[in-house]
Amino acid sequence: MKIFTKYFGEQEVDASEIVTFPAGLPGFSDEKRFIFQPFGEVFSILQSIDRTEIAFVTTSPFLFFDRYSVDLPDHFVRQLAVQSESDVAVRVIVSVQKPFSESTANLRAPVIINTRDRIGKQYIPERSSYSLRERLMPKADTPKKGV
């Protein structure tokens, strides 16, 4: 199927690449179908299939934050029909800034994907020590922070 994307224009997409978000994403509850498009070596675009303008830069938090972890409650695991830890991919939404060194990641609300069944949901815990805006790159005068 052909779709129009925010960053890459018209693209041919295989239906098997679509990730379904049954509840949509917070603020975008009507958007249920997305794809991940590679964007450089460590980023990807979470692109809505149905609305070109809805696209989010994402990355794996584990590439930038050594001590990051997500402990999903049982009800969340059941909602995504996760059968094995190997079925799970964790992505965080990146807020790209100028200069890029000021860009941040939303570690508090990761996007969790059941890669086997292609089902996703943003996990928003009641309490979290993680920030909504954690710098991807440490300031030049500070060591890398492992959240």
Side-chain angles (χ1 to χ4, degrees):
M1 71 189 290
K2 287 191 186 218
I3 66 166
F4 290 92
T5 68
K6 182 174 182 175
Y7 298 106
F8 304 112
E10 186 177 17
Q11 298 282 299
E12 184 70 34
V13 175
D14 189 305
S16 67
E17 297 176 46
I18 298 172
V19 177
T20 302
F21 287 76
L25 290 170
F28 302 93
S29 59
D30 292 339
E31 298 306 307
K32 312 273 191 218
R33 302 181 315 148
F34 289 82
I35 58 166
F36 282 93
Q37 299 177 291
F39 186 62
E41 292 182 29
V42 298
F43 298 99
S44 61
I45 305 297
L46 179 58
Q47 172 69 57
S48 168
I49 292 292
D50 301 306
R51 289 185 49 201
T52 303
E53 70 276 10
I54 298 177
F56 306 94
V57 177
T58 71
T59 192
S60 168
F62 309 110
L63 297 173
F64 293 91
F65 305 98
D66 297 336
R67 290 178 263 173
Y68 184 74
S69 66
V70 179
D71 187 21
L72 300 174
D74 291 340
H75 74 276
F76 192 90
V77 171
R78 283 192 301 275
Q79 286 174 350
L80 288 184
V82 173
Q83 295 178 6
S84 165
E85 196 173 307
S86 63
D87 293 342
V88 177
V90 178
R91 305 294 291 180
V92 292
I93 294 176
V94 175
S95 176
V96 177
Q97 304 296 318
K98 289 184 182 181
F100 185 79
S101 61
E102 298 292 321
S103 296
T104 61
N106 178 350
L107 298 183
R108 187 175 298 168
V111 175
I112 310 298
I113 308 296
N114 173 334
T115 58
R116 182 180 39 82
D117 294 337
R118 312 291 296 167
I119 301 170
K121 184 172 181 168
Q122 191 167 17
Y123 174 55
I124 305 173
E126 287 183 31
R127 290 183 217 159
S128 175
S129 61
Y130 295 118
S131 171
L132 293 170
R133 293 176 192 87
E134 189 67 42
R135 285 174 59 103
L136 285 178
M137 299 176 186
K139 291 189 180 202
D141 58 343
T142 59
K144 183 177 178 182
K145 180 178 172 183
V147 176

